[in-house]
Amino acid sequence: MQERIPILQMGRVLLVTIQVDMHDRLALQLQDDLTNKISESGAKGVLIDISSLEMVDSFIGRVLANISSMASVLDAKTVVVGMQPAVAITLVELGLSLNGVLTALNVMKGMKLLERE
Amino acid sequence: MSSSVLATVISNGQEDLLKEWVQQQLQAEGMRRDLIKVEELTAQSREFLQRFQGAVGSGDLLNIRSMGWSPVLESIGELSRQRGRMGFTPTETALFVLSLKAPLTRLLREAHKDDPIKFIEEITVVGELLDKLGLFTMEVFLQSREEVIIRQQEDMLELSTPVVKLWDGIVALPIIGTLDSARTSVVMESLLQRIVETGSEIAIIDITGVPTVDTLVAQHLLKTVAAARLMGADCIISGIRPQIAQTMVHLAIDLSAVTTKATLAEALKTALQRNGMKVVSSSAV
């Protein structure tokens, strides 16, 4: 059985909590699962909680940006919440400022942001 | 051999030598009598002389990096560092060793009354030796000064980046002084850390105290803003002086993606507005 990141559905929002070290295959798997789930459920919002993620590389950063673009093609807004300072600094230094991705400090604020959108 | 002669000369005339040397140091021009007591100076000199005698006895007179000299170097190193901290000038510090030359010369002259050639040979060696020790004193002195400078720089780095909480959900970072890469990373880290700790959604970066903004500084600022945005906080840059606004436009620095305000007061007003608050005068309520 392949390792997967669970996707929870809460009303019209999909909640993804990343609590393990992201490796490349896992990230691609998530991208796959999430796009399927969005079209299946007709969700209007995706909330990705990365507060436990302590390290990122350029690949993971790009996958996050891609997930957001794909979700918006499927008419769902993506909010990335709880990014750690070190992760944010790394992404900026890598030149990935994730333009177009919504961000929030924590899940609660992310939910509010999605409701407003 | 010369080393043994020197050692004997020193041990025979040690008390005289010490007295004369201390006298020499006290009379030297610019000696800081206010910074060091005569007793302390005598104690330091006595200890040095003992170690010096031991080292001379061990043989190698021209290589102060050899084993026999390590107690001497240790003692001068300690003294030099101490004097550096106390505010002695380099000359005063170097004089400690160099002023030993005159009394030592006199002792040698007495020992070689009837052999001028031997005397000249000895005095050349002693001169060279004391010069080397003097140079070593200076080296340690400068090194200790540099350590102080480095420590102060680090302190300043820490001191100059306070992140203050202005209101619930609003933090401000007043930057004072020029931003370079090292400072930017400290500033960025402390700002992001505070954003997480306080759960603030708005961060105001005030650059009133930044004297000049060039492309590099602007790039550092934009990086900080981008990192804060990634975490879910909005940044407002305030305190841009007219001169700096002109420079920024001339340098074609694009700040259109960032909210900018002329003053910190304006920025705070905007931040409060975004949080759904308003400041009104009490009579208007």
Side-chain angles (χ1 to χ4, degrees):
Chain A
M1 173 70 193
Q2 205 182 352
E3 193 184 3
R4 271 170 194 228
I5 292 171
I7 301 168
L8 312 174
Q9 189 172 354
M10 296 170 67
R12 307 188 70 185
V13 174
L14 298 179
L15 177 63
V16 182
T17 313
I18 298 173
Q19 287 179 343
V20 290
D21 271 344
M22 282 283 263
H23 49 78
D24 296 2
R25 214 181 49 235
L26 198 62
L28 289 175
Q29 181 73 45
L30 176 68
Q31 179 182 311
D32 220 23
D33 289 349
L34 203 57
T35 39
N36 281 330
K37 192 84 175 180
I38 292 170
S39 73
E40 220 175 80
S41 64
K44 290 289 172 218
V46 178
L47 209 105
I48 305 176
D49 176 21
I50 56 168
S51 52
S52 326
L53 198 65
E54 276 167 5
M55 259 192 318
V56 282
D57 54 18
S58 55
F59 186 80
I60 304 292
R62 221 178 63 227
V63 169
L64 280 176
N66 284 349
I67 287 179
S68 158
S69 315
M70 290 167 189
S72 89
V73 170
L74 295 165
D75 194 25
K77 293 258 187 266
T78 309
V79 182
V80 173
V81 303
M83 191 183 290
Q84 295 291 329
V87 173
I89 293 171
T90 313
L91 285 181
V92 170
E93 293 295 341
L94 288 171
L96 290 164
S97 42
L98 302 187
N99 288 322
V101 179
L102 296 172
T103 51
L105 283 174
N106 52 40
V107 176
M108 206 174 72
K109 285 181 174 152
M111 278 295 198
K112 264 192 198 147
L113 187 63
L114 274 179
E115 275 163 24
R116 238 186 292 150
E117 293 285 334
Chain B
M1 209 17 238
S2 68
S3 72
S4 60
V5 175
L6 187 57
T8 329
V9 166
I10 293 175
S11 73
N12 286 343
Q14 195 175 16
E15 276 311 310
D16 275 352
L17 181 60
L18 180 67
K19 215 179 282 170
E20 200 177 333
W21 183 27
V22 172
Q23 202 56 41
Q24 193 88 22
Q25 290 185 65
L26 289 174
Q27 278 167 359
E29 204 178 321
M31 177 65 205
R32 303 293 295 272
R33 296 287 280 270
D34 51 334
L35 287 180
I36 191 162
K37 288 199 192 84
V38 180
E39 296 84 46
E40 198 180 340
L41 186 66
T42 313
Q44 277 175 352
S45 306
R46 187 191 304 277
E47 194 198 334
F48 174 80
L49 213 53
Q50 266 161 11
R51 293 186 181 203
F52 183 73
Q53 191 191 338
V56 169
S58 76
D60 206 348
L61 268 191
L62 287 178
N63 182 12
I64 60 164
R65 302 280 169 191
S66 66
M67 276 302 286
W69 284 93
S70 63
V72 176
L73 296 190
E74 209 175 278
S75 137
I76 318 182
E78 176 57 34
L79 179 111
S80 180
R81 258 190 290 275
Q82 188 196 354
R83 292 196 169 189
R85 275 199 304 270
M86 284 162 71
F88 277 78
T89 66
T91 315
E92 287 154 13
T93 310
L95 218 58
F96 175 73
V97 173
L98 295 181
S99 60
L100 182 59
K101 212 182 265 184
L104 212 54
T105 310
R106 193 188 54 79
L107 272 187
L108 283 173
R109 199 173 55 207
E110 275 168 18
H112 296 292
K113 258 184 211 137
D114 30 67
D115 193 355
I117 295 174
K118 188 92 177 111
F119 168 62
I120 289 170
E121 266 173 23
E122 290 255 346
I123 209 66
T124 316
V125 173
V126 169
E128 202 174 319
L129 174 66
L130 286 178
D131 286 347
K132 275 184 184 169
L133 289 175
L135 281 175
F136 178 80
T137 317
M138 285 314 298
E139 228 170 80
V140 177
F141 183 82
L142 285 180
Q143 211 180 342
S144 70
R145 278 294 171 94
E146 251 158 54
E147 277 164 17
V148 170
I149 292 174
I150 290 170
R151 209 183 52 239
Q152 282 173 344
Q153 265 175 347
E154 281 168 1
D155 285 351
M156 239 164 69
L157 215 58
E158 292 286 318
L159 273 180
S160 58
T161 55
V163 183
V164 288
K165 183 176 167 179
L166 288 186
W167 205 266
D168 279 340
I170 304 170
V171 289
L173 172 75
I175 301 179
I176 295 168
T178 316
L179 277 177
D180 53 21
S181 310
R183 261 194 88 189
T184 307
S185 58
V186 176
V187 166
M188 210 199 270
E189 267 167 45
S190 56
L191 177 67
L192 299 187
Q193 202 55 50
R194 284 290 282 172
I195 287 176
V196 174
E197 280 166 20
T198 57
S200 302
E201 277 183 337
I202 298 176
I204 302 173
I205 302 176
D206 186 75
I207 58 167
T208 316
V210 180
T212 49
V213 173
D214 53 14
T215 41
L216 210 63
V217 173
Q219 203 193 353
H220 289 319
L221 275 177
L222 288 174
K223 266 187 191 169
T224 312
V225 173
R229 198 194 71 82
L230 277 177
M231 290 177 46
D234 266 334
C235 277
I236 301 175
I237 297 181
S238 74
I240 302 175
R241 278 177 279 134
Q243 201 61 48
I244 288 179
Q246 288 181 30
T247 330
M248 278 178 154
V249 171
H250 284 314
L251 291 172
I253 296 164
D254 185 18
L255 283 179
S256 58
V258 191
T259 318
T260 51
K261 295 284 167 201
T263 60
L264 183 61
E266 279 292 318
L268 180 60
K269 207 160 136 193
T270 313
L272 286 172
Q273 252 163 26
R274 283 198 201 161
N275 280 0
M277 277 176 278
K278 205 166 117 186
V279 181
V280 289
S281 83
S282 57
S283 61
V285 180

